[in-house]
Amino acid sequence: MVEVVSSLEHPGVSPYASLTEGALRICGESGMFIAESPKVIRVALDAGYQPVSLLCEEKHIVGDAADIVARCGDIPVYTGAPELLEQLTGYRLTRGVLCAMHRPALPAVESVCADARLVAVLDAVCDTTNIGAIFRSAAALGVDAVLLTQGTCDPLNRRAVRVSMGTVFLVPWTYLPSGDWQALLREQGFRTAAMALTDKSISIDNPALDKEPRLAVIMGTEGDGLSSQIITSADYTVRIPMFHGVDSLNVAAASAVAFWQLRRR
């Protein structure tokens, strides 16, 4: 159902224009998020995510988004003058199409970990660009699941989804409960490896890590890293060897190195 929008006040376009990320998360029965670009939307649809509405320039409805419109059935497809859509979204729709989607219910940690051998734990990582990049590396390099502490930002944030190129829809993920989540992981059969620089840190290529049948790699926030409590509680403290006096990598870059080295062969 194509509907031409002529006003910024149209209630159907509020998810794209006026609702904050926080408001989107509680909008409707299950909350919503926004996926951008035909490629990312196709990945979400293939993964079983359910669309609410589409927003795109008219030329894309019969152009590069035609297959998406057809797949989405009877949901509203909003369109309008390019100038109006730019006011709605804050930028020109160079990617062609936006899709508001229902948020699925988050699975239990036990379900996400059931068949996993390598999981990434993100503690208080709050930069959405880094979250998206970490998920992209996780999908590409064989991480079975991503677990987030309560202080970590939402992987379905619009920018995180975009940066991930839709891989947030491919890697199972959920939030860990508050409290001693390392104990919970050990109950699932995991040994924990905290990425941190300490006097006791072992190199990421240490053979002991390869021998662990199930490993949870813990990565911290961009500025402060992991807390001393998390590091002390971990089974291993792990570092990436550095050169030229560099002491650390950005968390997204470090995740790619760690995921490749620690992949379960």
Side-chain angles (χ1 to χ4, degrees), residues 118-199:
L118 177 65
V119 301
V121 179
L122 306 184
D123 177 58
V125 178
C126 50
D127 183 279
T128 53
T129 299
N130 283 335
I131 289 289
I134 291 170
F135 266 88
R136 191 170 182 180
S137 293
L141 300 175
V143 174
D144 298 312
V146 177
L147 303 173
L148 315 167
T149 65
Q150 295 296 315
T152 298
C153 73
D154 177 22
L156 295 182
N157 172 281
R158 186 184 299 197
R159 178 173 291 181
V161 171
R162 181 172 71 244
V163 172
S164 81
M165 292 300 293
T167 54
V168 294
F169 310 128
L170 303 179
V171 181
W173 63 271
T174 195
Y175 279 92
L176 289 161
S178 300
D180 190 359
W181 44 263
Q182 288 200 61
L184 174 61
L185 292 175
R186 291 191 186 95
E187 290 175 4
Q188 306 304 309
F190 288 91
R191 299 271 277 175
T192 59
M195 300 293 296
L197 297 174
T198 73
D199 293 338

Side-chain angles (χ1 to χ4, degrees), residues 79-116:
T79 189
E83 296 76 18
L84 179 65
L85 298 186
E86 186 172 353
Q87 291 181 58
L88 282 170
T89 61
Y91 54 86
R92 194 67 179 265
L93 285 178
T94 55
R95 297 176 184 85
V97 56
L98 306 179
C99 185
M101 293 187 145
H102 290 291
R103 284 178 174 267
L106 287 177
V109 173
E110 293 80 1
S111 174
V112 169
C113 291
D115 299 317

Side-chain angles (χ1 to χ4, degrees), residues 202-256:
I202 63 173
S203 177
I204 198 168
D205 59 359
N206 189 297
L209 298 171
D210 285 336
K211 294 177 182 178
E212 295 292 349
R214 309 188 87 189
L215 191 66
V217 185
I218 309 170
M219 314 198 77
T221 184
E222 296 82 356
D224 298 330
L226 296 172
S227 69
S228 59
Q229 180 180 2
I230 290 175
I231 294 170
T232 301
S233 299
D235 297 302
Y236 298 97
T237 307
V238 180
R239 60 176 173 80
I240 298 172
M242 302 284 169
F243 300 90
H244 300 294
V246 178
D247 61 358
S248 64
L249 294 172
N250 165 274
V251 65
S255 73

Side-chain angles (χ1 to χ4, degrees), residues 35-113:
E36 301 182 22
S37 88
K39 180 177 180 179
V40 170
I41 294 168
R42 291 185 189 106
V43 174
L45 293 173
D46 289 344
Y49 285 73
Q50 297 299 309
V52 176
S53 66
L54 292 161
L55 175 69
C56 56
E57 292 184 18
E58 187 173 5
K59 65 181 180 181
H60 296 296
I61 296 175
V62 294
D64 56 3
D67 64 307
I68 293 172
V69 173
R71 289 182 65 177
C72 288
D74 295 330
I75 67 168
V77 180
Y78 299 109
T79 189
E83 296 76 18
L84 179 65
L85 298 186
E86 186 172 353
Q87 291 181 58
L88 282 170
T89 61
Y91 54 86
R92 194 67 179 265
L93 285 178
T94 55
R95 297 176 184 85
V97 56
L98 306 179
C99 185
M101 293 187 145
H102 290 291
R103 284 178 174 267
L106 287 177
V109 173
E110 293 80 1
S111 174
V112 169
C113 291

